[in-house]
């Protein structure tokens, strides 16, 4: 039988904002620790980095934000690891320079500089033991994770590189590449901008499906429940759109300057095959996961295949039909996968 493709009918920004669920799109998860740390004193700083730790367990897990992410983008993982399982895990999340509550200095950003920012935060919170850090990064966050692991391989217990690349390469035809670049740079209405991003990050079928978020309730420790509880949207597109709208309404947290400076950092990221081999040798390949999807239109699948080829990770997964954000698209599966990576890392570190 011929395959069918879902054609999503997107709700408008106005419709999403009027949804009863819109005010509750960002969950009020109370951190166990938080702060604003000046970093980069000898690197053009100080740059203030906003960080939070959720949970107080012995397993130290870091989620690194991607391009244009606020740290709340990981709220599903923050709730699962840092609140539901907060006696086992301590979860560190932060806003990279250029986003959220962190500083947005006008200077050249790089993934290696952002990794150094993160290392200073990790030192500040006292996570300094050998083989203590479980590091997970999505997209640009995976690039920063590579730089972090390359700079401090002896501190890595597990490394999960999700929908990312050793460097961004053109894997399409010249014409398609030029159309994509022009489309990305053209001014867009809020509706078109969010629809374009959603289409690059998620498969169309996923966007049309009912909202798959498991929202917090009174059983979740250290989570403020609003009057009437956390609402559900009609579909996954509306939840994504709501989070994008709320981010873009934050004029201090989300700026065009900060986004473009992060974009330059991601675009110039480069880890050579020799560097990746060295990284794998020093960390131990069994500690490394590389995950990519065949429906990723933000960072195309050949980037994931090359990472697997260069790193020879203990687990290399190319998942049919997966888009760019498994943290949302397949939350339960992803969280279980990451739990298994942390368990393996702890076992290897304690053996």
């Amino acid at each position: 039988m011929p395959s069918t493709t879902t054609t999503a009918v997107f709700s408008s920004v106005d419709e999403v904002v009027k949804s009863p669920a819109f005010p509750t799109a960002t969950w009020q998860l109370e951190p166990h620790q938080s702060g604003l740390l000046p970093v980069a004193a000898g690197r053009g700083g100080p740059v203030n980095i906003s960080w939070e730790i959720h949970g107080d367990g012995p397993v130290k897990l870091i989620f690194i934000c991607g391009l244009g992410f606020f740290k709340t983008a990981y709220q599903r993982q923050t709730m699962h690891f840092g609140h539901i399982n907060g006696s086992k895990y301590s979860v560190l999340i932060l806003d990279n320079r250029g986003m959220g509550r962190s500083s947005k200095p006008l200077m050249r950003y790089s993934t290696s500089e952002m990794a150094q920012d993160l290392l200073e935060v990790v030192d500040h919170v006292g996570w300094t033991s050998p083989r203590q850090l479980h590091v997970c990064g999505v997209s640009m966050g995976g690039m920063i994770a590579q730089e972090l692991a390359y700079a401090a391989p002896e501190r890595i217990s597990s490394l999960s590189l999700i929908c990312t690349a050793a460097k961004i390469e053109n894997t399409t035809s010249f014409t398609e590449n030029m159309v994509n670049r022009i489309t990305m740079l053209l001014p867009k209405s809020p509706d078109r901008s969010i629809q374009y991003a959603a289409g690059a990050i998620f498969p169309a079928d996923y966007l049309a499906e009912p909202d798959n978020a498991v929202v917090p309730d009174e059983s979740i420790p250290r989570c403020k429940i609003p009057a009437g509880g956390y609402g559900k949207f009609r579909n996954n597109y509306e939840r994504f759109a709501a989070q994008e709208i709320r981010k873009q309404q934050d004029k201090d947290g989300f700026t065009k300057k900060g986004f473009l400076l992060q974009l330059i950092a991601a675009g110039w990221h480069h880890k050579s095959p020799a560097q990746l081999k060295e990284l794998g040798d020093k960390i131990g390949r069994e500690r490394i996961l590389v995950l990519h999807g065949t429906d990723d239109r933000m960072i195309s699948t050949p980037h994931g295949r090359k990472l697997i080829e260069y790193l020879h990770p203990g687990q290399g997964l190319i998942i049919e039909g997966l888009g760019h954000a498994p943290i949302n698209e397949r939350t339960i599966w992803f969280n279980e996968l990451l739990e298994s990576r942390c368990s393996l890392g702890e076992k290897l570190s304690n053996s």
Side-chain angles (χ1 to χ4, degrees):
M1 293 180 65
S3 61
T4 59
T5 302
T6 300
T7 302
V9 178
F10 295 116
S11 302
S12 69
V13 166
D14 288 342
E15 288 171 328
V16 173
V17 170
K18 290 175 182 175
S19 166
F22 181 76
T24 70
T26 301
W27 304 339
Q28 298 180 59
L29 298 166
E30 179 187 346
H32 288 67
Q33 301 177 55
S34 62
L36 190 67
L37 181 70
V39 303
R43 299 182 285 113
V47 177
N48 292 322
I49 299 296
S50 175
W51 61 271
E52 296 176 354
I53 292 176
H54 296 253
D56 54 9
V59 180
K60 310 304 187 187
L61 176 57
I62 303 171
F63 289 103
I64 309 179
C65 285
L67 172 64
F69 279 28
F70 287 5
K71 55 184 174 288
T72 51
Y74 282 114
Q75 65 184 5
R76 302 189 194 198
Q77 284 67 45
T78 302
M79 181 175 74
H80 176 78
F81 290 97
H83 291 258
I84 297 173
N85 295 289
S87 62
K88 180 177 180 181
Y89 297 93
S90 294
V91 174
L92 174 63
I93 52 175
L94 55 80
D95 291 325
N96 291 318
R97 59 169 68 189
M99 279 293 142
R101 305 277 74 81
S102 292
S103 298
K104 302 161 187 69
L106 182 57
M107 60 194 298
R108 173 72 180 269
Y109 292 10
S110 69
T111 52
S112 59
E113 285 292 323
M114 287 190 272
Q116 290 298 322
D117 295 345
L118 175 53
L119 269 176
E120 290 193 46
V121 174
V122 170
D123 289 345
H124 173 74
V125 301
W127 295 6
T128 56
S129 298
R131 298 296 188 184
Q132 187 177 32
L133 305 179
H134 298 274
V135 178
C136 176
V138 175
S139 195
M140 185 187 74
M143 300 175 184
I144 298 169
Q146 293 166 47
E147 297 288 1
L148 174 67
Y150 191 74
E154 74 285 349
R155 297 173 69 172
I156 304 300
S157 182
S158 71
L159 177 65
S160 298
L161 304 175
I162 313 300
C163 302
T164 190
K167 67 174 182 177
I168 296 299
E169 301 181 79
N170 178 26
T171 60
T172 62
S173 68
F174 175 80
T175 301
E176 185 177 353
N177 181 48
M178 293 306 298
V179 169
N180 289 340
R181 288 175 181 269
I182 292 168
T183 302
M184 183 176 71
L185 295 173
L186 283 174
K188 304 177 187 67
S189 68
D191 281 312
R192 186 69 191 97
S193 175
I194 293 171
Q195 290 171 15
Y196 178 80
I201 295 169
F202 299 105
D205 288 353
Y206 168 81
L207 293 171
E209 290 168 357
D211 180 5
N212 73 342
V214 179
V215 299
D217 59 24
E218 291 80 1
S219 70
I220 304 300
R222 301 176 69 92
C223 180
K224 184 177 179 181
I225 306 298
Y230 286 97
K232 296 276 281 186
F233 292 90
R234 290 184 297 181
N235 52 50
N236 289 316
Y237 174 78
E238 287 191 357
R239 178 165 293 278
F240 170 77
Q243 291 168 328
E244 284 295 299
I245 294 163
R246 289 178 68 88
K247 181 175 72 177
Q248 293 179 24
Q249 287 175 341
D250 184 349
K251 300 303 182 183
D252 293 326
F254 186 82
T255 66
K256 184 176 290 186
K257 176 187 78 173
F259 179 82
L260 289 174
L261 290 168
Q262 286 196 351
L263 179 64
I264 290 168
W268 283 95
H269 172 76
H270 180 216
K271 277 283 163 280
S272 69
Q275 288 175 314
L276 291 171
K277 180 182 183 302
E278 181 185 353
L279 186 155
D281 288 342
K282 289 183 176 179
I283 292 175
R285 286 172 176 75
E286 65 273 27
R287 297 179 183 271
I288 302 174
L289 162 71
V290 175
L291 169 65
H292 219 102
T294 62
D295 281 8
D296 189 336
R297 288 181 289 278
M298 189 66 73
I299 297 179
S300 61
T301 312
H303 292 90
R305 296 191 190 279
K306 283 194 174 183
L307 261 184
I308 292 172
E309 176 187 346
Y310 298 152
L311 272 173
H312 296 287
Q315 191 169 15
L317 301 174
I318 303 294
I319 303 297
E320 189 70 29
L322 183 69
H324 189 62
I327 59 173
N328 295 333
E329 189 182 333
R330 304 190 188 183
T331 303
I332 295 173
W333 172 81
F334 179 81
N335 290 348
E336 291 175 349
L337 175 63
L338 199 55
E339 285 177 343
S340 72
R341 300 307 306 174
C342 290
S343 296
L344 176 61
E346 291 292 304
K347 180 180 178 182
L348 291 169
S349 298
N350 295 324
S351 61

Short mmCIF file of all heavy atoms in Angstrom, two decimals, residues 53-63 81-82 85-92 127 131-135 157-158 338-347 350:
data_model
loop_
_atom_site.label_atom_id
_atom_site.label_comp_id
_atom_site.label_asym_id
_atom_site.label_seq_id
_atom_site.Cartn_x
_atom_site.Cartn_y
_atom_site.Cartn_z
N ILE A 53 19.73 23.41 40.08
CA ILE A 53 19.85 21.98 40.33
C ILE A 53 18.52 21.50 40.89
O ILE A 53 17.99 22.07 41.86
CB ILE A 53 20.99 21.66 41.33
CG1 ILE A 53 22.33 21.96 40.68
CG2 ILE A 53 20.92 20.20 41.76
CD1 ILE A 53 23.52 21.75 41.61
N HIS A 54 17.98 20.47 40.26
CA HIS A 54 16.74 19.84 40.70
C HIS A 54 17.06 18.43 41.18
O HIS A 54 17.70 17.66 40.47
CB HIS A 54 15.73 19.79 39.55
CG HIS A 54 15.29 21.14 39.08
ND1 HIS A 54 14.03 21.65 39.33
CD2 HIS A 54 15.94 22.10 38.36
CE1 HIS A 54 13.93 22.85 38.80
NE2 HIS A 54 15.08 23.15 38.19
N GLY A 55 16.61 18.11 42.39
CA GLY A 55 16.93 16.83 42.98
C GLY A 55 18.17 16.93 43.85
O GLY A 55 18.97 17.87 43.73
N ASP A 56 18.34 15.93 44.73
CA ASP A 56 19.52 15.92 45.59
C ASP A 56 20.13 14.52 45.69
O ASP A 56 20.75 14.17 46.67
CB ASP A 56 19.17 16.44 46.99
CG ASP A 56 18.00 15.71 47.63
OD1 ASP A 56 17.54 14.69 47.07
OD2 ASP A 56 17.53 16.16 48.70
N GLY A 57 19.95 13.74 44.62
CA GLY A 57 20.46 12.38 44.59
C GLY A 57 21.93 12.31 44.20
O GLY A 57 22.53 13.30 43.78
N PRO A 58 22.52 11.12 44.30
CA PRO A 58 23.96 10.96 44.06
C PRO A 58 24.36 10.96 42.59
O PRO A 58 25.54 11.19 42.27
CB PRO A 58 24.27 9.61 44.71
CG PRO A 58 22.97 8.85 44.64
CD PRO A 58 21.90 9.88 44.82
N VAL A 59 23.44 10.67 41.67
CA VAL A 59 23.78 10.60 40.25
C VAL A 59 23.67 12.01 39.66
O VAL A 59 22.60 12.61 39.66
CB VAL A 59 22.85 9.63 39.50
CG1 VAL A 59 23.22 9.58 38.02
CG2 VAL A 59 22.92 8.24 40.11
N LYS A 60 24.80 12.54 39.16
CA LYS A 60 24.88 13.93 38.72
C LYS A 60 24.67 14.00 37.20
O LYS A 60 25.51 13.56 36.41
CB LYS A 60 26.25 14.51 39.07
CG LYS A 60 26.68 14.30 40.52
CD LYS A 60 25.68 14.84 41.53
CE LYS A 60 26.24 14.74 42.94
NZ LYS A 60 25.22 15.11 43.97
N LEU A 61 23.54 14.56 36.80
CA LEU A 61 23.10 14.57 35.40
C LEU A 61 22.99 16.00 34.91
O LEU A 61 22.34 16.83 35.54
CB LEU A 61 21.75 13.84 35.29
CG LEU A 61 21.04 13.80 33.95
CD1 LEU A 61 21.91 13.18 32.87
CD2 LEU A 61 19.72 13.01 34.08
N ILE A 62 23.61 16.28 33.77
CA ILE A 62 23.61 17.62 33.19
C ILE A 62 22.89 17.59 31.85
O ILE A 62 23.21 16.77 30.98
CB ILE A 62 25.05 18.13 32.96
CG1 ILE A 62 25.85 18.11 34.27
CG2 ILE A 62 25.04 19.52 32.36
CD1 ILE A 62 27.33 18.38 34.07
N PHE A 63 21.92 18.50 31.66
CA PHE A 63 21.26 18.68 30.37
C PHE A 63 21.74 20.01 29.80
O PHE A 63 21.58 21.07 30.43
CB PHE A 63 19.74 18.70 30.52
CG PHE A 63 19.14 17.36 30.85
CD1 PHE A 63 18.72 17.06 32.13
CD2 PHE A 63 19.00 16.39 29.87
CE1 PHE A 63 18.17 15.83 32.45
CE2 PHE A 63 18.45 15.16 30.16
CZ PHE A 63 18.03 14.87 31.45
N PHE A 81 13.62 13.28 36.25
CA PHE A 81 14.85 12.92 36.95
C PHE A 81 15.02 13.70 38.26
O PHE A 81 15.45 13.13 39.26
CB PHE A 81 16.06 13.15 36.04
CG PHE A 81 16.16 12.19 34.89
CD1 PHE A 81 15.68 12.52 33.63
CD2 PHE A 81 16.73 10.93 35.07
CE1 PHE A 81 15.78 11.63 32.58
CE2 PHE A 81 16.83 10.03 34.02
CZ PHE A 81 16.34 10.38 32.77
N GLY A 82 14.69 14.98 38.24
CA GLY A 82 14.98 15.82 39.39
C GLY A 82 13.87 15.94 40.41
O GLY A 82 14.12 16.42 41.52
N ASN A 85 12.20 11.40 40.55
CA ASN A 85 13.32 10.55 40.97
C ASN A 85 14.44 11.38 41.59
O ASN A 85 15.63 11.07 41.45
CB ASN A 85 13.84 9.75 39.78
CG ASN A 85 12.82 8.77 39.24
OD1 ASN A 85 12.52 7.76 39.89
ND2 ASN A 85 12.26 9.07 38.07
N GLY A 86 14.06 12.44 42.29
CA GLY A 86 15.03 13.39 42.83
C GLY A 86 15.89 12.85 43.95
O GLY A 86 16.93 13.45 44.26
N SER A 87 15.50 11.72 44.55
CA SER A 87 16.37 11.13 45.57
C SER A 87 17.51 10.33 44.94
O SER A 87 18.48 10.01 45.62
CB SER A 87 15.54 10.22 46.49
OG SER A 87 14.97 9.14 45.77
N LYS A 88 17.40 10.03 43.65
CA LYS A 88 18.45 9.29 42.94
C LYS A 88 19.33 10.22 42.12
O LYS A 88 20.55 10.02 42.02
CB LYS A 88 17.83 8.23 42.04
CG LYS A 88 18.86 7.41 41.25
CD LYS A 88 18.20 6.31 40.41
CE LYS A 88 19.24 5.52 39.64
NZ LYS A 88 18.63 4.45 38.81
N TYR A 89 18.73 11.25 41.52
CA TYR A 89 19.43 12.13 40.60
C TYR A 89 19.51 13.56 41.13
O TYR A 89 18.60 14.04 41.81
CB TYR A 89 18.73 12.17 39.24
CG TYR A 89 18.68 10.86 38.50
CD1 TYR A 89 17.57 10.02 38.64
CD2 TYR A 89 19.72 10.46 37.68
CE1 TYR A 89 17.51 8.81 37.97
CE2 TYR A 89 19.67 9.25 37.00
CZ TYR A 89 18.56 8.43 37.15
OH TYR A 89 18.51 7.22 36.49
N SER A 90 20.58 14.24 40.78
CA SER A 90 20.68 15.69 40.86
C SER A 90 20.84 16.19 39.43
O SER A 90 21.78 15.78 38.73
CB SER A 90 21.87 16.13 41.71
OG SER A 90 21.70 15.77 43.06
N VAL A 91 19.93 17.06 38.99
CA VAL A 91 19.89 17.49 37.59
C VAL A 91 20.31 18.96 37.50
O VAL A 91 19.69 19.84 38.12
CB VAL A 91 18.47 17.32 37.02
CG1 VAL A 91 18.39 17.91 35.62
CG2 VAL A 91 18.08 15.85 37.00
N LEU A 92 21.37 19.23 36.75
CA LEU A 92 21.84 20.58 36.52
C LEU A 92 21.37 21.05 35.15
O LEU A 92 21.63 20.40 34.14
CB LEU A 92 23.37 20.64 36.59
CG LEU A 92 24.03 21.97 36.23
CD1 LEU A 92 23.63 23.07 37.19
CD2 LEU A 92 25.56 21.83 36.17
N TRP A 127 30.70 19.55 41.82
CA TRP A 127 30.69 18.26 41.12
C TRP A 127 32.06 18.05 40.48
O TRP A 127 32.22 18.18 39.27
CB TRP A 127 29.60 18.24 40.07
CG TRP A 127 28.19 18.31 40.62
CD1 TRP A 127 27.82 18.50 41.92
CD2 TRP A 127 26.98 18.21 39.86
NE1 TRP A 127 26.44 18.52 42.02
CE2 TRP A 127 25.90 18.34 40.78
CE3 TRP A 127 26.69 18.01 38.51
CZ2 TRP A 127 24.57 18.30 40.38
CZ3 TRP A 127 25.36 17.96 38.11
CH2 TRP A 127 24.31 18.09 39.03
N ARG A 131 34.87 10.84 36.96
CA ARG A 131 33.80 9.99 36.42
C ARG A 131 32.46 10.24 37.12
O ARG A 131 31.69 9.32 37.38
CB ARG A 131 34.17 8.51 36.56
CG ARG A 131 35.42 8.10 35.81
CD ARG A 131 35.24 8.25 34.31
NE ARG A 131 36.36 7.68 33.56
CZ ARG A 131 36.48 7.76 32.23
NH1 ARG A 131 35.55 8.40 31.53
NH2 ARG A 131 37.51 7.22 31.63
N GLN A 132 32.20 11.51 37.41
CA GLN A 132 30.97 11.85 38.14
C GLN A 132 29.87 12.39 37.25
O GLN A 132 28.70 12.30 37.59
CB GLN A 132 31.30 12.90 39.22
CG GLN A 132 30.14 13.22 40.17
CD GLN A 132 30.53 14.20 41.25
OE1 GLN A 132 31.37 15.07 41.05
NE2 GLN A 132 29.91 14.06 42.41
N LEU A 133 30.19 12.93 36.09
CA LEU A 133 29.23 13.69 35.30
C LEU A 133 28.57 12.84 34.20
O LEU A 133 29.25 12.25 33.37
CB LEU A 133 29.93 14.89 34.64
CG LEU A 133 30.69 15.83 35.58
CD1 LEU A 133 31.34 16.94 34.77
CD2 LEU A 133 29.78 16.40 36.66
N HIS A 134 27.26 12.83 34.22
CA HIS A 134 26.46 12.27 33.14
C HIS A 134 25.98 13.45 32.30
O HIS A 134 25.18 14.27 32.77
CB HIS A 134 25.29 11.46 33.69
CG HIS A 134 25.71 10.29 34.52
ND1 HIS A 134 26.01 9.06 33.97
CD2 HIS A 134 25.93 10.17 35.86
CE1 HIS A 134 26.37 8.23 34.94
NE2 HIS A 134 26.33 8.87 36.09
N VAL A 135 26.46 13.54 31.07
CA VAL A 135 26.27 14.73 30.25
C VAL A 135 25.38 14.38 29.06
O VAL A 135 25.65 13.43 28.32
CB VAL A 135 27.62 15.27 29.76
CG1 VAL A 135 27.41 16.48 28.87
CG2 VAL A 135 28.52 15.62 30.95
N SER A 157 31.14 10.34 33.21
CA SER A 157 30.67 8.99 33.49
C SER A 157 29.87 8.44 32.31
O SER A 157 29.98 7.27 31.96
CB SER A 157 29.81 8.97 34.76
OG SER A 157 29.39 7.66 35.06
N SER A 158 29.03 9.30 31.70
CA SER A 158 28.35 8.92 30.46
C SER A 158 28.16 10.18 29.63
O SER A 158 28.05 11.29 30.16
CB SER A 158 27.00 8.24 30.73
OG SER A 158 26.04 9.16 31.23
N LEU A 338 17.98 7.20 28.75
CA LEU A 338 18.98 7.95 29.49
C LEU A 338 19.22 7.33 30.87
O LEU A 338 20.38 7.32 31.35
CB LEU A 338 18.54 9.41 29.63
CG LEU A 338 19.64 10.41 29.97
CD1 LEU A 338 20.77 10.35 28.96
CD2 LEU A 338 19.07 11.82 30.05
N GLU A 339 18.19 6.81 31.49
CA GLU A 339 18.37 6.09 32.75
C GLU A 339 19.34 4.92 32.56
O GLU A 339 20.22 4.69 33.40
CB GLU A 339 17.03 5.56 33.26
CG GLU A 339 16.12 6.61 33.87
CD GLU A 339 14.78 6.03 34.29
OE1 GLU A 339 14.43 4.92 33.83
OE2 GLU A 339 14.08 6.68 35.08
N SER A 340 19.18 4.20 31.45
CA SER A 340 20.06 3.05 31.21
C SER A 340 21.50 3.50 30.97
O SER A 340 22.44 2.83 31.40
CB SER A 340 19.56 2.23 30.01
OG SER A 340 19.77 2.92 28.78
N ARG A 341 21.69 4.66 30.32
CA ARG A 341 23.04 5.18 30.11
C ARG A 341 23.68 5.60 31.43
O ARG A 341 24.87 5.36 31.66
CB ARG A 341 23.02 6.37 29.14
CG ARG A 341 22.46 6.09 27.76
CD ARG A 341 23.11 4.93 27.06
NE ARG A 341 24.57 5.07 26.99
CZ ARG A 341 25.38 4.15 26.53
NH1 ARG A 341 24.89 2.99 26.09
NH2 ARG A 341 26.69 4.34 26.49
N CYS A 342 22.89 6.23 32.29
CA CYS A 342 23.42 6.62 33.61
C CYS A 342 23.78 5.39 34.43
O CYS A 342 24.84 5.35 35.08
CB CYS A 342 22.39 7.47 34.35
SG CYS A 342 22.12 9.12 33.65
N SER A 343 22.92 4.40 34.39
CA SER A 343 23.19 3.15 35.15
C SER A 343 24.47 2.50 34.66
O SER A 343 25.29 2.02 35.48
CB SER A 343 22.01 2.18 35.02
OG SER A 343 20.86 2.72 35.61
N LEU A 344 24.66 2.45 33.34
CA LEU A 344 25.88 1.85 32.79
C LEU A 344 27.10 2.64 33.21
O LEU A 344 28.13 2.08 33.62
CB LEU A 344 25.79 1.78 31.27
CG LEU A 344 27.04 1.27 30.55
CD1 LEU A 344 27.37 -0.16 30.98
CD2 LEU A 344 26.87 1.36 29.03
N GLY A 345 27.00 3.97 33.13
CA GLY A 345 28.12 4.80 33.52
C GLY A 345 28.50 4.61 34.99
O GLY A 345 29.68 4.51 35.34
N GLU A 346 27.49 4.54 35.85
CA GLU A 346 27.75 4.32 37.28
C GLU A 346 28.39 2.96 37.50
O GLU A 346 29.33 2.82 38.31
CB GLU A 346 26.44 4.44 38.07
CG GLU A 346 25.86 5.84 38.12
CD GLU A 346 26.71 6.78 38.94
OE1 GLU A 346 26.98 6.50 40.12
OE2 GLU A 346 27.15 7.82 38.36
N LYS A 347 27.91 1.96 36.79
CA LYS A 347 28.46 0.61 36.94
C LYS A 347 29.93 0.58 36.52
O LYS A 347 30.78 0.00 37.20
CB LYS A 347 27.64 -0.38 36.11
CG LYS A 347 28.13 -1.82 36.19
CD LYS A 347 27.25 -2.73 35.34
CE LYS A 347 27.75 -4.18 35.37
NZ LYS A 347 26.91 -5.06 34.51
N ASN A 350 32.15 2.39 39.06
CA ASN A 350 32.28 1.73 40.36
C ASN A 350 32.90 0.34 40.29
O ASN A 350 33.05 -0.33 41.32
CB ASN A 350 30.91 1.66 41.04
CG ASN A 350 30.36 3.02 41.39
OD1 ASN A 350 31.11 3.93 41.75
ND2 ASN A 350 29.05 3.21 41.25
#
